Amino acid sequence: MPGFGLLGVDGAYKKNLMDLRQRRQEIIGANIANADTPGYKAKRLDFEDELKKSLPAVDEMAMARTDGRHMPVPFFEPSDGEQQAVEIPIPRGDRNSVDVEQEMARQSANQLLYNYAGQALSSQISELRMVIDGGGATR
């Protein structure tokens, strides 16, 4: 992934997290919309483990580029997540595997975590803006 712009690795991570949460929200919405479709298999998007692996270990440090001719080293690989179908149908006789109550709970939890990631990214942008503007120092 070439460059991360002004937001760096943290910003790229948060953007990837928000993209994945958005995809998960769409999948949950599709599950709810198909709750009465006979034979429909609910879908899940798993990405937490893969996303966690994409970050460097705590004791690792990013390589510094001291010359513009140095090739950038990607330190963060965005995750795509893995979509899976829920194979176990709810016992209602139509082979549908959507449990609306569970989907609603997943949707609420995912929305809260999406909002949290959005606030974290917004806070990072605000800090960057404050630095660009001179840190609020009076002139």
Side-chain angles (χ1 to χ4, degrees), residues 72-134:
V73 178
F75 207 59
F76 171 75
E77 293 293 329
S79 171
D80 291 330
E82 181 179 350
Q83 187 170 326
Q84 300 171 342
V86 177
E87 298 293 334
I88 302 169
I90 303 297
R92 350 179 256 214
D94 63 357
R95 303 183 50 82
N96 185 309
S97 64
V98 176
D99 183 332
V100 174
E101 290 181 16
Q102 286 185 2
E103 296 298 329
M104 297 294 277
R106 284 188 182 96
Q107 187 177 44
S108 295
N110 191 58
Q111 183 65 50
L112 288 172
L113 293 170
Y114 178 87
N115 291 345
Y116 178 75
Q119 288 174 352
L121 185 58
S122 178
S123 174
Q124 184 178 353
I125 292 169
S126 294
E127 289 172 8
L128 184 61
R129 182 172 292 145
M130 186 175 75
V131 169
I132 291 170
D133 290 343

Side-chain angles (χ1 to χ4, degrees), residues 1-130:
M1 182 176 202
F4 302 113
L6 292 174
L7 298 176
V9 173
D10 288 345
Y13 175 83
K14 292 168 189 166
K15 181 190 177 309
N16 188 212
L17 178 60
M18 290 184 69
D19 289 345
L20 290 167
R21 294 245 171 251
Q22 176 64 34
R23 277 187 50 211
R24 179 178 278 171
Q25 202 73 347
E26 291 168 2
I27 290 169
I28 292 170
N31 288 342
I32 293 170
N34 286 290
D36 293 328
T37 304
Y40 180 82
K41 294 186 181 350
K43 301 193 177 41
R44 301 276 180 267
L45 180 65
D46 293 325
F47 59 83
E48 284 86 354
D49 290 339
E50 188 179 337
L51 189 61
K52 195 180 295 181
K53 289 176 192 171
S54 69
L55 283 175
V58 173
D59 56 345
E60 283 185 49
M61 294 180 62
M63 293 178 60
R65 291 178 62 199
T66 56
D67 189 313
R69 293 174 291 179
H70 291 165
M71 293 183 63
V73 178
F75 207 59
F76 171 75
E77 293 293 329
S79 171
D80 291 330
E82 181 179 350
Q83 187 170 326
Q84 300 171 342
V86 177
E87 298 293 334
I88 302 169
I90 303 297
R92 350 179 256 214
D94 63 357
R95 303 183 50 82
N96 185 309
S97 64
V98 176
D99 183 332
V100 174
E101 290 181 16
Q102 286 185 2
E103 296 298 329
M104 297 294 277
R106 284 188 182 96
Q107 187 177 44
S108 295
N110 191 58
Q111 183 65 50
L112 288 172
L113 293 170
Y114 178 87
N115 291 345
Y116 178 75
Q119 288 174 352
L121 185 58
S122 178
S123 174
Q124 184 178 353
I125 292 169
S126 294
E127 289 172 8
L128 184 61
R129 182 172 292 145
M130 186 175 75

